[in-house]
């Protein structure tokens, strides 16, 4: 069931560019406002995440015996689509690269902010810093949009995929109390720990194995943020990269563009590897 649900979700994303109308978060915004009076940050987080997740478990259990599992399958597809990342990744990248290749750094910066929370918080001093921030954000967005969600969907079902997305929304919600965001970020870190390392291993399989696996081993027990690990390991898998130091002019623009496109292709190939692995697991 999981394999077909993933294929349907993938096809829907190709058609819509994202999860489409299913990815409506207003209910969660209203629900979050209802819990704002709870005094304990830990209890608020449990209520915000655990109650919807337990409700999904209950509904799936109740629907299980009906119509040979068809309602469960349809609900699982809907929950998977909802749990995938927000926005259209391909359009965001295209808009960024269009501005970048025209030499419009201000436009590239504005589009880059759609990728990178780091750019939103600290900005960029020069073109190189802008590029590095967007590249790191690309690795992480590719991961959180698909890989982390699919991992938990296959391992523990649609309720676990939903839990990951709700924690991600809370950890990145600027309207939320900082204490709540910190708690959500800690929980998110532990949910991402294993899938980040599995994706890094996939990078090694389809990229430059020797250099990538060496970097991967260094990060197996690392406590660094997921985005930094993926950026470091992922770049070791690529044969296209910027030379050390600042590169000026058209050559810099060209190499930076090629690097981001190589990251995009690496993520796409890694997704195919994961889908193949899920298919094999389903056949066993």
């Amino acid at each position: 069931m999981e394999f077909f649900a993933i294929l349907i979700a993938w096809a829907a994303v190709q058609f819509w560019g994202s999860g489409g109308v299913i990815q409506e978060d207003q209910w969660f915004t209203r629900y979050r406002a209802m819990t704002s009076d709870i005094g304990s940050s830990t209890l608020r987080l449990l209520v915000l995440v655990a109650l919807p997740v337990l409700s999904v478990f209950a509904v799936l259990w109740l629907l299980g015996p009906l119509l040979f599992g068809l309602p469960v399958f349809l609900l699982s597809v809907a929950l998977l689509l909802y749990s995938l990342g927000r926005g259209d990744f391909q359009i965001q990248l295209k808009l960024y690269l269009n501005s970048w290749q025209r030499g419009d750094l201000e436009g590239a910066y504005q589009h880059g902010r759609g990728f990178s929370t780091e750019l939103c918080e600290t900005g960029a001093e020069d073109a190189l810093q802008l590029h590095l921030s967007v590249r790191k954000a690309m690795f992480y967005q590719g991961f959180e949009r698909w890989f982390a969600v699919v991992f938990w969907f296959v391992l523990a079902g649609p309720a676990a995929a939903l839990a990951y997305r709700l924690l991600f929304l809370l950890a990145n919600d600027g309207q939320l109390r900082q204490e709540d965001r910190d708690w959500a970020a800690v929980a998110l870190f532990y949910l991402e720990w294993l899938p980040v390392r599995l994706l890094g291993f996939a990078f090694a399989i389809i990229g430059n194995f020797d250099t990538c696996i060496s970097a991967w081993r260094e990060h197996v027990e690392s406590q660094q943020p997921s985005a930094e690990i993926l950026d470091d390991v992922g770049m070791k898998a690529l044969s296209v990269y910027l030379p050390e130091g600042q590169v000026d002019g058209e050559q810099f623009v060209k190499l930076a563009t090629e690097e981001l496109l190589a990251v995009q292709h690496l993520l796409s190939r890694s997704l195919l590897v994961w889908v193949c692995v899920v298919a094999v697991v389903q056949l066993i």
Side-chain angles (χ1 to χ4, degrees):
M1 182 190 78
E2 290 87 354
F3 176 68
F4 291 109
I6 292 169
L7 287 183
I8 292 172
W10 178 83
V13 169
Q14 300 308 304
F15 180 75
W16 286 327
S18 65
V21 294
I22 291 177
Q23 291 183 334
E24 174 56 63
D25 295 324
Q26 289 186 1
W27 72 270
F28 192 56
T29 302
R30 292 192 295 268
Y31 179 48
R32 187 196 66 200
M34 292 168 57
T35 64
S36 60
D37 292 334
I38 298 177
S40 168
S41 180
T42 305
L43 183 57
R44 275 197 307 275
L45 187 62
L46 284 173
V47 171
L48 279 169
V49 178
L51 191 55
V53 168
L54 291 175
S55 299
V56 166
F57 267 121
V59 171
L60 290 172
W61 179 76
L62 290 172
L63 293 177
L66 301 178
L67 297 175
F68 307 101
L70 180 60
V72 170
F73 176 74
L74 295 176
L75 181 57
S76 297
V77 172
L79 287 167
L80 177 58
L81 279 170
Y82 176 80
S83 301
L84 296 177
R86 291 350 188 204
D88 192 319
F89 182 83
Q90 302 297 333
I91 288 180
Q92 285 182 338
L93 178 60
K94 184 176 181 179
L95 291 172
Y96 172 82
L97 288 177
N98 284 343
S99 295
W100 177 264
Q101 290 171 321
R102 293 197 311 268
D104 178 11
L105 292 183
E106 179 60 30
Y109 171 75
Q110 294 302 325
H111 292 305
R113 285 163 59 91
F115 279 107
S116 173
T117 55
E118 182 180 71
L119 284 175
C120 294
E121 294 171 356
T122 63
E125 295 181 356
D126 53 35
L128 179 60
Q129 187 178 353
L130 171 62
H131 168 72
L132 295 178
S133 295
V134 169
R135 189 189 72 193
K136 182 166 68 174
M138 274 188 66
F139 273 115
Y140 183 67
Q141 266 209 30
F143 167 75
E144 61 88 3
R145 290 175 63 85
W146 265 102
F147 294 96
V149 175
V150 168
F151 173 84
W152 286 110
F153 181 80
V154 172
L155 185 68
L162 175 64
Y164 175 83
R165 181 53 54 195
L166 295 183
L167 283 169
F168 182 88
L169 292 174
L170 291 171
N172 293 275
D173 188 346
Q175 304 300 316
L176 204 62
R177 303 175 191 178
Q178 187 60 48
E179 184 181 10
D180 293 352
R181 293 179 64 189
D182 291 342
W183 273 107
V186 170
L188 197 66
F189 172 81
Y190 287 108
L191 283 182
E192 291 179 346
W193 193 93
L194 183 55
V196 160
R197 283 146 185 82
L198 291 176
L199 180 56
F201 189 73
F203 288 164
I205 292 174
I206 61 179
N208 295 328
F209 184 83
D210 291 338
T211 56
C212 187
I213 202 66
S214 178
W216 180 82
R217 290 194 188 100
E218 294 176 4
H219 288 292
V220 167
E221 298 182 2
S222 171
Q223 297 300 308
Q224 288 182 283
S226 300
E228 294 184 12
I229 294 175
L230 291 170
D231 186 54
D232 186 34
V233 175
M235 287 309 300
K236 296 298 191 300
L238 298 179
S239 56
V240 177
Y241 54 87
L242 289 170
E244 292 292 330
Q246 178 71 48
V247 182
D248 296 318
E250 294 182 1
Q251 182 69 2
F252 171 63
V253 171
K254 179 176 180 294
L255 289 174
T257 300
E258 291 176 355
E259 191 175 76
L260 293 185
L261 292 175
V263 171
Q264 183 185 27
H265 294 153
L266 179 67
L267 290 168
S268 297
R269 294 196 303 273
S270 299
L271 177 60
L272 291 177
V273 169
W274 276 42
V275 170
C276 290
V277 169
V278 171
V280 170
V281 170
Q282 295 288 295
L283 291 174
I284 295 176

